[in-house]
């Protein structure tokens, strides 16, 4: 298994000129002997070998596995607790001609999971349908309505994807109705597991599966892989869904290490060469059909898939992802794109209202958490709004609105702070909650809103550190511009796909000069060229840093931190620096 990034960080910290609430932190230099040895073995720059060592990669074999992901490195699916039970139950259902219902959540992870599992088993069993709960009428996870639908329509087996690990009461209800469940989930279990036929979740305490961070769709993929192996089907019957799994990995923000790295690597290849019809149409309506990265999937495809469930019905997303012909895919792709435009309108309006609410309240401004409530806000976009507020104020955030007689909320966190644990400290005020360290959903009685706002602030204030409340730019290494050549960039590209625990490396270069031009692009971005003595000139883009433009002068040196990327313009490919921060000589250094 690939090891995650080293967490060690130098105490030497800079505050950027553009935003005194951001700090530049430089990772500790890894063991010099290990770095030099690996650089010699691989014939690469020591900066690159240092990046590898900080990722837990110390020898040739580990580097080969990292740079050359191989589908043969995927783990045996039967190592997952209850996998044998799940496959046997599905085999019995197919042999007996039972009706099977594929049940999934309404977000990207859930809808891609349903598309994968439904499409796979549809090839071998005709009595199969899928079900996506209504976000507004049924809420998150397994619902009583969904179980009733299955019982009333003769379904005797439900395969639940990306949900169900805490649905103890719902599974008990299903058992009373004569409906069996196989749960495929990746969320943290509670104290009691549901009494399902099989519970597939690597986070189970008794599960020895080697990789714990699969997406919900990834769990569904492993179920299909296990069935294929048991029934002597070719791996191509499963690997054709790599593109959908990669979309789930990207959009559910799971670590892109270990098995996820392999799945994302092959999935991105498929997205860029031969995606399924639904993904292809989604790319077309998004305005891009090639050179997709994980980031492109997150920002171009994810919001459109999510928009179906946020604004209308997530079944439209599944219908797109399982489309078998161009006409159906075009129809659903256009519909989803329209819903995404509508979603953007709600997003902007509610974000503006929430910002105004906070900025005009001295108490809210002074807190270490943000909780805002408006009963008229659209439930489908409060998660997006929570993310925007977190970006703005950089503290744990919850956005609440009315839904079906209750108050529903979406929560987001900051780097290093466990939001789920904070919600556990408020559990007596909540009807239900679930999620991850950095994102969660919750429901409460309207009478508890005021109590929750105060309790959440108490819990956060008692457990968050001052450093966690200051946004940081984490720098991997210092670099001279002369070190960036074609070979360096080619090897750096092989660190991709980038994502959590394998982020694109951020470099620091000191004493650069603007060369040729420094212009405003759009309303808040800088396009410029920089140079350093003994090095070629590099084009740069600095998003949302227009306030620095007035201080950028010829013959005045400054420092930049940046990622290195390829810019494609009219078929011309060049290396570009994506500047994350600019520091001038008059900025005071700070240490923590």
């Amino acid at each position: 298994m690939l090891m995650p990034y080293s967490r060690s960080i130098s105490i030497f910290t800079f505050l950027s000129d553009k935003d005194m609430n951001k700090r530049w932190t430089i990772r500790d230099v890894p063991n010099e002997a290990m770095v030099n040895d690996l650089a010699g073995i691989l014939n690469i720059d020591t900066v690159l070998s240092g990046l590898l060592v900080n990722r837990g990669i110390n020898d040739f074999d580990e580097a080969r596995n990292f740079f050359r992901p191989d589908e043969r490195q995927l783990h045996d699916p039967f190592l997952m607790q209850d996998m044998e039970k799940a496959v046997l139950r599905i085999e019995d259902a197919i042999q007996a001609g039972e009706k099977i219902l594929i049940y999934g959540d309404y977000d990207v992870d859930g809808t891609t999971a349903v598309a994968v599992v439904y499409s796979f088993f549809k090839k071998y069993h005709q009595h199969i349908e899928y079900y996506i709960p209504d976000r507004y009428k049924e809420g998150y996870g397994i619902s009583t309505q969904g179980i009733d639908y299955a019982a009333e329509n003769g379904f005797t087996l439900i395969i639940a994807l990306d949900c169900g690990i805490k649905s103890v009461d719902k599974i008990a209800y299903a058992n009373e109705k004569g409906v069996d469940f196989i749960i495929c989930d990746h969320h943290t279990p509670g104290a009691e597991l549901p009494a399902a036929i099989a519970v597939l979740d690597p986070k189970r305490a008794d599960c020895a599966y080697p990789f714990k961070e699969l997406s919900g769709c990834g769990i569904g993929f492993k179920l299909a892989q296990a069935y294929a192996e048991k029934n002597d089907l070719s791996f191509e019957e499963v690997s054709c869904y790599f593109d959908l799994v990669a979309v789930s990995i990207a959009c559910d923000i799971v670590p892109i290490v270990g098995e996820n790295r392999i799945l994302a690597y092959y999935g991105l290849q498929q997205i860029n060469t031969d995606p399924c019809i639904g993904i292809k149409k989604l790319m077309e309506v998004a305005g891009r059909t090639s050179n997709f990265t994980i980031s492109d999937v997150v920002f171009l495809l994810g919001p459109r898939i999510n928009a179906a469930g946020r604004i209308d019905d997530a079944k439209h997303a599944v219908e797109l992802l399982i489309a078998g012909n161009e006409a159906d895919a075009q129809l659903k792709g256009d519909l989803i794109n329209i819903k995404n435009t509508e979603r953007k309108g709600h997003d902007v309006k509610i974000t503006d209202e929430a910002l105004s609410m906070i900025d005009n309240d001295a108490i809210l401004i002074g807190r270490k958490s943000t909780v805002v409530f408006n009963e008229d806000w659209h439930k489908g976009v409060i998660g997006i709004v929570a993310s925007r507020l977190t970006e703005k104020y950089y503290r744990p955030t919850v956005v609440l609105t009315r839904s079906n007689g209750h108050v529903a909320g979406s929560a987001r966190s900051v780097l290093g702070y466990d939001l789920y644990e904070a919600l556990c400290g408020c559990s007596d005020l909540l009807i239900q909650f679930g999620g991850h360290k950095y994102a969660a959903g919750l429901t409460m009685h309207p009478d508890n809103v005021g109590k929750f706002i105060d309790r959440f602030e108490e819990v956060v204030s008692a457990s968050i550190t001052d450093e966690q409340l200051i946004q940081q730019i984490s720098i991997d290494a210092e670099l001279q511009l002369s070190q960036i050549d074609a070979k360096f960039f080619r090897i750096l590209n092989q660190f991709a796909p980038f994502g959590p625990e394998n982020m694109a490396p951020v470099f620091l270069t000191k004493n650069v000069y603007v060369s040729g031009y420094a212009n405003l692009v759009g309303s808040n971005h800088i396009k410029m060229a920089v140079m350093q003595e003994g090095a070629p000139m590099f084009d740069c883009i600095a998003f949302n840093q227009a306030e620095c433009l007035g201080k950028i002068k010829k013959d005045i040196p400054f420092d930049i931190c940046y990622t290195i990327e390829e810019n494609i313009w009219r078929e011309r490919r060049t290396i570009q620096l994506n500047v994350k921060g600019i520091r001038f000589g008059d900025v005071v250094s700070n240490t923590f």
Side-chain angles (χ1 to χ4, degrees), residues 383-457:
I384 300 170
V385 175
S387 295
R388 304 225 190 280
L389 298 184
T390 304
E391 291 171 7
K392 170 72 173 178
Y393 300 104
Y394 207 70
R395 57 198 187 195
T397 299
V398 184
V399 179
L400 303 169
T401 189
R402 282 268 193 172
S403 178
N404 293 329
H406 293 135
V407 170
S410 259
R412 298 293 184 269
S413 192
V414 297
L415 183 66
Y417 186 73
D418 195 327
L419 178 69
Y420 184 85
E421 285 299 317
L423 291 177
C424 286
C426 308
S427 60
D428 59 305
L429 300 175
L430 304 175
I431 297 172
Q432 63 179 14
F433 68 98
H436 307 286
K437 182 176 182 178
Y438 294 116
L442 57 145
T443 307
M444 71 185 77
H445 291 292
D447 291 345
N448 283 341
V449 171
K451 298 174 185 175
F452 173 79
I453 291 172
D454 292 338
R455 177 80 66 78
F456 188 68
E457 171 66 15

Side-chain angles (χ1 to χ4, degrees), residues 8 65 298 468:
S8 57
N65 291 339
V298 171
Q468 288 170 333

Side-chain angles (χ1 to χ4, degrees), residues 333-352:
D334 289 343
L335 175 63
I336 283 175
N337 206 42
I338 291 170
K339 295 302 176 185
N340 187 54
T341 301
E342 186 179 343
R343 185 272 306 168
K344 288 180 182 177
H346 288 295
D347 172 9
V348 171
K349 177 178 179 292
I350 295 172
T351 299
D352 287 345

